[in-house]
Amino acid sequence: MKLHEFQAKNLLAQYGIIVPRGTLACSVDEAGQAAETFGGACVLKAQVHAGGRGKAGGVALAQTADQARDIARRLLHHRLVTVQTEEQGLPVNSLLVEELVPVARELYLSLTLDRSAGRYCLIASAEGGVDIEQTARQAPERVRRLNIDPLIGLRSFHARGIARFLGLKGQLGNAAVDLIAALYRCFLEKDASLLEINPLVVSEDGRLLAMDAKVSIDDSALFRQRDLAGWKDDSQYDPLEVRAARSEIAYIKMGGCIGCLVNGAGLAMATLDMLTECGGQPANFLDVGGSADQDKVVEAFRILLEDPHVTGVLVNIFGGIMRCDLIAESLIAAATATSSRLPIVVRMAGARRDEGRQLLENQADLNIIWQDGLAAAATAIVQQLSPTA
Amino acid sequence: MAILIDRRSRIVVQGLTGNSGRRHGLLCRDYGSQVVAGVTPGKGGTQIDGIPVFDTVAEAVETCAADVSMIFVPPSAAAEAILEASDAGIRLAVCITEGVPVRDMVLVNRALANNPMRLIGPNCPGLITPGQCKVGILPGDIHRPGSIGVVSRSGTLTYEAVQQLTDAGLGQSTCVGIGGDPIIGSSFIDILTLFNDDPDTHGVFLIGEIGGTAEEQAATWIRRHMRKPVAAYIAGMTAPPGKRMGHAGAIVSGGSGRAKDKVAALRDSGVRVAESPARMAAAMQSALEAAGLSSHDS
């Protein structure tokens, strides 16, 4: 789960990390008032779940409160398209209005998971404000990675080594050690999966500040991070993805016209690959889960039919613990409930497949086409939708 | 022989009194596995369909000589359950639970680093040695005893592969679902090592997916150490970057974890990679033939 920049900074501030003074503005008036508190000179930052905001015009400087209002008018309640968003962009519902901080140096600091090591990893660089992966490729000696032994933790001596690598000495070095310790504590206590300060700046008046911050929380830990779970901003996700998540259905919109309903994440990915190989364009990834009951299958079906681009459906079920005849019953209920006349190609294998097939073939008034085998099913739905091909 | 489990394995189910634990504990027993005990703190002294329930894993080990644990507890209790199994002297723990926090798994894996217990999972379907023993939620009836080892990050996609292998006359020595999470107890390499040393395994089918670099690491290991033919399939060729595809670990991030890189790495190591999920068994047959082995069980 991603946090907005203002939420991330709020979190960091709770751990004693210095962030620029700022106010969240949800209207042009609020943006103007916030700017006035800084004497007019401020930076306005669009709050969206994507990087690349600066180049996309989502971060702008104002010298007066009127300028701040103009910027707010341009950004608020519009969609911002950056290199990291899809082409329709993300809605800007709020702006973070911050004081201007004169900057002496820009650095980089983050904590994340090193999957192959199975450990959390601190990444530091004296090159801040730029893409860290680019720095790592072009000047690997400018990036320091430190894998953390969870039994030992991130100690002061580790932090002093990082401060030295970043060229922070004296008071600034001490501030860096405190900041790194706070960052690690925050990371663990909040079950973060990413905590990135880019840039971490040394201000002209000699302070160490988190100028920008990116935080993601481990979705699996939200049951014990209830406060943070409440910070989720559904407006930053596709509405169908939000709806699916409520029923614990994994759904991702893909843009094509063939709706897919599959049990299991791996099989669902494989089904999309198969469909693409056969010349089809999947509308979605949908994993209905391993223990889907009838209500869940019906809801999954409704969700994929909500996508107006869907003109046909491919169902691929491998019955194991979940029996094919039960899925067939659910599919019939779903197709009936939605009174869908779209072609539905069904492929089932595994437990009670023949019983499932029997049930589906008895439904003459539904447009259900049975196919054996993955390749045959993918080919069949593609041909259904382009009969001339 | 096979790996990890066989008809002698004695299974304790942690969470036997819960819905899933009870259901799958009994299904494993129906398959022929020796399910000798259950553990649910506070329910010691009761029974589930004749299986004694204890308060602690240690009692199940002392009383029933359990050596394998199948874990069906809620995500919040999974780390505790795994560590308890290890403390009680369990040899193999199989954690089916989905949604275990990453922070818990980082700690668990560190604790198990110098520890004799092997962990499979979490977020996995478990494992099966066909005809002998099943520990997990896999459907037993699609498997046939044979000489192909299967190792996979997936659940139903593994069943798909196994069905194809069985239909093609290729039985399985052991099938292991290692799990779809970013941090798991046993890696591809851990299981490949066991298959490499198992005289009853003649070839291995590996099922990977987007996210992380476990397949690339496996490819490097295979090139250096593997003495048996390997075929593979990688799911997620068409997965959009930055999206988590169902499994917590299935995400392409920052140019890392792409399917095509995994396929290329495996091919560079001589692995036959199926172009399509419909041709997984065909890839296995082709790998066996290239190694001069029969492409179906006699």
Side-chain angles (χ1 to χ4, degrees):
Chain A
M1 182 192 114
K2 287 180 182 171
L3 299 189
H4 281 300
E5 179 193 1
F6 77 93
Q7 296 167 328
K9 284 178 167 169
N10 187 332
L11 199 59
L12 294 181
Q14 287 174 28
Y15 283 82
I17 293 172
I18 306 172
V19 299
R21 286 187 299 144
T23 309
L24 193 70
C26 300
S27 70
V28 172
D29 279 351
E30 285 176 12
Q33 283 164 17
E36 277 161 14
T37 62
F38 304 124
C42 62
V43 57
L44 295 97
K45 308 176 86 176
Q47 298 299 290
V48 292
H49 283 181
R53 293 175 302 170
K55 287 197 179 97
V59 177
L61 294 176
Q63 294 307 328
T64 66
D66 279 342
Q67 279 180 9
R69 287 189 188 92
D70 286 343
I71 293 164
R73 229 169 261 125
R74 173 171 67 77
L75 287 173
L76 270 176
H77 311 304
H78 290 83
R79 296 181 80 91
L80 184 70
V81 181
T82 84
V83 290
Q84 291 185 14
T85 66
E86 283 160 45
E87 54 193 40
Q88 72 273 22
L90 289 168
V92 181
N93 298 321
S94 60
L95 302 173
L96 179 59
V97 184
E98 283 185 338
E99 64 173 337
L100 293 177
V101 178
V103 172
R105 282 188 68 197
E106 292 192 320
L107 312 164
Y108 175 96
L109 202 58
S110 71
L111 277 164
T112 186
L113 176 70
D114 179 338
R115 283 174 65 157
S116 54
R119 292 190 178 184
Y120 292 127
C121 175
L122 178 91
I123 303 172
S125 174
E127 309 279 323
V130 293
D131 177 13
I132 188 68
E133 288 180 25
Q134 197 179 327
T135 311
R137 273 193 306 275
Q138 291 170 353
E141 74 286 353
R142 305 282 285 165
V143 177
R144 173 75 59 90
R145 294 175 63 98
L146 175 73
N147 276 2
I148 301 159
D149 183 328
L151 298 186
I152 294 170
L154 184 59
R155 299 286 177 146
S156 292
F157 69 86
H158 293 128
R160 283 198 298 276
I162 295 294
R164 184 162 157 256
F165 175 73
L166 294 174
L168 299 172
K169 292 172 192 145
Q171 284 303 319
L172 271 174
N174 293 342
V177 170
D178 290 347
L179 183 142
I180 289 167
L183 203 62
Y184 185 61
R185 210 165 57 244
C186 175
F187 190 88
L188 290 184
E189 288 178 4
K190 300 300 177 186
D191 278 299
S193 50
L194 172 71
L195 220 164
E196 180 180 68
I197 304 179
N198 187 24
L200 171 72
V201 305
V202 179
S203 63
E204 281 181 358
D205 59 4
R207 292 178 302 153
L208 202 56
L209 291 92
M211 204 66 140
D212 197 357
K214 205 176 273 181
V215 174
S216 295
I217 305 297
D218 177 9
D219 289 309
S220 295
L222 290 178
F223 69 85
R224 64 187 180 201
Q225 301 292 348
R226 298 232 184 254
D227 292 355
L228 293 179
W231 287 12
K232 184 169 184 190
D233 180 0
D234 283 343
S235 79
Q236 301 294 307
Y237 301 85
D238 183 280
L240 287 178
E241 294 183 18
V242 173
R243 179 172 156 190
R246 261 183 238 130
S247 304
E248 295 183 340
I249 295 165
Y251 171 91
I252 292 159
K253 208 165 181 173
M254 306 269 293
C257 61
I258 302 172
C260 296
L261 192 157
V262 187
N263 67 328
L267 190 61
M269 278 188 271
T271 305
L272 303 188
D273 293 349
M274 185 84 236
L275 196 53
T276 307
E277 191 192 305
C278 293
Q281 290 179 330
N284 63 275
F285 166 96
L286 192 156
D287 168 14
V288 75
S291 58
D293 55 19
Q294 183 153 326
D295 289 348
K296 202 163 159 184
V297 176
V298 172
E299 173 66 359
F301 208 75
R302 283 183 189 275
I303 286 168
L304 67 85
L305 291 181
E306 281 287 311
D307 178 352
H309 300 113
V310 170
T311 52
V313 178
L314 174 62
V315 176
N316 184 19
I317 299 294
F318 201 104
I321 301 313
M322 185 150 130
R323 290 157 33 192
C324 291
D325 52 345
L326 289 179
I327 290 284
E329 280 173 16
S330 302
L331 277 177
I332 292 163
T336 310
T338 55
S339 43
S340 164
R341 294 298 305 160
L342 299 180
I344 304 168
V345 171
V346 178
R347 181 269 176 159
M348 289 181 174
R352 297 179 73 86
R353 163 188 171 280
D354 293 342
E355 289 84 347
R357 177 177 190 167
Q358 191 75 52
L359 283 167
L360 291 171
E361 287 182 343
N362 288 342
Q363 298 292 321
D365 46 333
L366 296 174
N367 196 359
I368 293 176
I369 303 132
W370 177 275
Q371 286 289 335
D372 289 312
L374 203 48
T379 308
I381 188 66
V382 172
Q383 281 174 353
Q384 278 290 323
L385 300 185
S386 51
T388 52
Chain B
M1 244 192 60
I3 64 166
L4 295 168
I5 53 168
D6 59 27
R7 57 174 58 85
R8 292 164 302 177
S9 302
R10 297 177 66 81
I11 299 153
V12 53
V13 182
Q14 289 179 258
L16 181 67
T17 59
N19 281 336
S20 301
R22 179 194 173 100
R23 176 147 179 246
H24 292 289
L26 297 179
L27 282 170
C28 286
R29 190 175 65 174
D30 291 348
Y31 187 77
S33 308
Q34 294 193 61
V35 179
V36 298
V39 169
T40 301
K43 300 237 170 112
T46 61
Q47 286 196 346
I48 294 287
D49 211 41
I51 304 169
V53 176
F54 300 93
D55 285 322
T56 65
V57 179
E59 286 170 275
V61 171
E62 283 161 26
T63 314
C64 305
D67 68 334
V68 173
S69 172
M70 176 162 80
I71 300 175
F72 275 98
V73 301
S76 58
E80 170 91 12
I82 295 166
L83 294 174
E84 185 187 349
S86 152
D87 186 65
I90 288 288
R91 171 179 67 80
L92 172 73
V94 181
C95 184
I96 309 298
T97 307
E98 179 176 3
V100 181
V102 170
R103 171 157 60 91
D104 296 5
M105 280 312 302
V106 167
L107 195 61
V108 163
N109 263 9
R110 177 66 179 86
L112 295 183
N114 299 306
N115 181 298
M117 187 181 84
R118 170 170 299 288
L119 171 67
I120 304 282
N123 190 16
C124 77
L127 69 164
I128 183 168
T129 294
Q132 297 194 45
C133 182
K134 165 177 119 145
V135 180
I137 61 174
L138 319 90
D141 54 358
I142 59 172
H143 297 83
R144 293 289 176 273
S147 54
I148 301 299
V150 176
V151 58
S152 171
R153 279 168 69 186
S154 174
T156 48
L157 181 56
T158 315
Y159 314 160
E160 175 77 37
V162 166
Q163 180 84 68
Q164 286 184 24
L165 291 171
T166 295
D167 288 350
L170 291 169
Q172 306 89 41
S173 53
T174 303
C175 302
V176 186
I178 58 174
D181 274 359
I183 306 286
I184 48 179
S186 293
S187 66
F188 280 128
I189 294 174
D190 292 330
I191 305 303
L192 286 168
T193 304
L194 297 174
F195 280 138
N196 210 19
D197 295 335
D198 172 32
D200 292 341
T201 298
H202 300 159
V204 176
F205 195 77
L206 180 153
I207 301 158
E209 64 187 32
I210 57 162
T213 54
E215 291 81 359
E216 287 89 332
Q217 290 163 332
T220 303
W221 188 90
I222 287 167
R223 191 167 56 235
R224 290 187 190 143
H225 305 287
M226 196 72 187
R227 301 182 302 273
K228 299 173 183 181
V230 181
Y233 173 70
I234 304 295
M237 274 304 210
T238 53
K243 297 280 189 179
R244 208 171 286 283
M245 305 298 277
H247 288 152
I251 181 165
V252 175
S253 52
S256 159
R258 287 183 298 209
K260 65 173 188 182
D261 298 334
K262 297 172 185 297
V263 170
L266 288 164
R267 288 213 170 114
D268 280 352
S269 294
V271 174
R272 299 282 162 129
V273 184
E275 292 283 355
S276 131
R279 291 194 288 274
M280 292 191 280
M284 190 71 246
Q285 283 171 322
S286 145
L288 290 170
E289 278 160 16
L293 297 171
S294 171
S295 58
H296 55 84
D297 289 349
S298 48

